[in-house]
């Protein structure tokens, strides 16, 4: 009996399948037969900005908050009408800031005394014809705008310029790889990989605008200049 019981247990144990080992799929790394060369190259392109964004608005002061807001609303409506009259579309006018702040007079050893309120309302205006933007700004000042800052100059559709920069970056990277290959007594066999990063352009910081020019008989003018766009590519070559 003891022998039969042991045989049965052994047989039962044999019928239980063993736990399958966990299957791990390691990343397959394709070996490079030759020498691997990693290069970073930046291509650039320049364009004349075709859009100017200027912040324009109205600042009013009054003894009461209500009066300051009412005066501001009336004056700001004249500014908006002037923008529409100049042909600026609704999509190119966007409210950027509305503020109402109390004003105090401070005297040493005395509690601050409320003297009135300041209300401000500002809109970002997108000028798609930079050549006309100066005249429009002068017209806004004539209609009551007393707060103007900018411009931020941008390129409306930068993709063509970025593609040009990409092409230049590819050429620079390839030429650089050839330099390394010649120095090593080798040749460039192929481009293994390419990645893009650091593309775009940095608009110049907004410039303060001085509106006293009209009082001196001169019109306000915005000079677009040029902007530089760049794209940085990471490339891996095989040398042999």
């Amino acid at each position: 009996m003891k022998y039969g019981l042991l045989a049965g247990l052994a047989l039962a144990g044999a019928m239980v399948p063993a736990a399958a080992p966990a299957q791990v799929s390691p990343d397959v790394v394709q070996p490079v037969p030759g020498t691997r060369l990693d290069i970073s190259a930046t291509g650039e392109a320049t364009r004349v900005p075709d859009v100017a964004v200027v912040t324009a608005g109205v600042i009013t002061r009054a003894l009461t908050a209500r009066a300051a807001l009412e005066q501001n609303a009336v004056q700001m409506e004249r500014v908006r009408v002037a923008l529409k009259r100049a042909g600026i579309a609704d999509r190119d006018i966007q409210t950027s800031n509305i503020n109402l702040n109390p004003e105090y007079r401070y005297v040493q050893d005395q509690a601050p005394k409320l003297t009135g309120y300041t209300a401000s309302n500002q809109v970002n205006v997108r000028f798609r014809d930079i050549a006309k933007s100066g005249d429009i700004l002068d017209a806004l000042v004539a209609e009551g705008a007393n707060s103007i800052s900018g411009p931020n100059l941008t390129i409306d559709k930068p993709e063509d310029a970025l593609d040009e920069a990409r092409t230049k970056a590819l050429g620079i990277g390839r030429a650089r790889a050839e330099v390394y290959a010649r120095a090593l007594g080798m040749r460039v066999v192929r481009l293994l990989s390419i990645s893009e990063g650091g593309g775009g352009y940095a608009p110049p910081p907004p410039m303060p605008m001085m509106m006293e020019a009209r009082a001196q008989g001169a019109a306000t003018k915005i000079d677009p200049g040029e902007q530089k766009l760049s794209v940085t590519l990471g490339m891996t070559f095989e040398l042999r």
Side-chain angles (χ1 to χ4, degrees):
M1 285 294 292
K2 185 180 293 186
Y3 175 79
L5 177 60
L6 292 174
L9 290 175
L11 180 60
M15 294 175 63
V16 178
Q23 298 296 322
V24 178
S25 299
D27 293 335
V28 178
V29 179
Q30 296 293 339
V32 178
T35 299
R36 170 175 170 161
L37 173 64
D38 295 323
I39 284 180
S40 177
T42 299
E44 296 178 341
T46 57
R47 293 291 188 276
V48 176
D50 52 9
V51 172
V53 179
V54 174
T55 300
V58 172
I59 299 174
T60 54
R61 294 176 176 84
L63 293 178
T64 67
R66 182 183 181 88
L69 285 173
E70 288 178 347
Q71 292 175 21
N72 191 282
V74 171
Q75 206 165 323
M76 194 65 193
E77 183 59 27
R78 290 168 51 196
V79 171
R80 287 193 175 90
V81 170
L83 287 170
K84 301 292 184 61
R85 191 166 53 239
I88 305 299
D90 289 339
R91 67 190 178 105
D92 292 328
I93 305 172
Q94 183 181 54
T95 299
S96 62
N97 191 27
I98 296 177
N99 275 319
L100 176 66
N101 295 305
E103 291 188 333
Y104 296 92
R105 182 171 67 243
Y106 296 90
V107 179
Q108 188 174 1
D109 298 328
Q110 295 183 18
K113 182 179 180 181
L114 180 66
T115 59
Y117 292 85
T118 298
S120 65
N121 190 335
Q122 294 178 317
V123 292
N124 288 334
V125 184
R126 185 180 297 269
F127 296 103
R128 298 183 184 275
D129 187 348
I130 295 180
K132 296 181 179 179
S133 57
D135 292 337
I136 297 175
L137 290 174
D138 288 337
L140 296 183
V141 172
E143 293 297 332
N146 57 11
S147 173
I148 294 179
S149 63
N152 286 318
L153 299 172
T154 62
I155 298 170
D156 189 31
K157 297 178 180 179
E159 278 306 315
D160 286 345
L162 290 173
D163 286 345
E164 179 182 329
R166 291 180 180 103
T167 301
K168 289 183 178 179
L170 280 171
I172 292 171
R174 179 77 188 196
R176 196 168 294 168
E178 295 286 355
V179 170
Y180 281 106
R182 286 195 299 270
L184 295 169
M186 306 173 77
R187 61 186 179 87
V188 177
V189 176
R190 55 175 173 157
L191 175 63
L192 296 173
S193 67
I194 182 170
S195 62
E196 180 177 317
Y201 62 100
M207 299 175 291
M209 300 190 64
M210 305 302 292
M211 301 308 297
E212 297 85 1
R214 192 167 185 81
Q216 300 172 0
T220 302
K221 182 181 179 182
I222 294 178
D223 297 313
E226 281 189 346
Q227 275 189 4
K228 185 180 294 183
L229 299 90
S230 65
V231 173
T232 299
L233 300 179
M235 290 168 275
T236 299
F237 293 90
E238 179 187 350
L239 309 182
R240 290 189 193 178

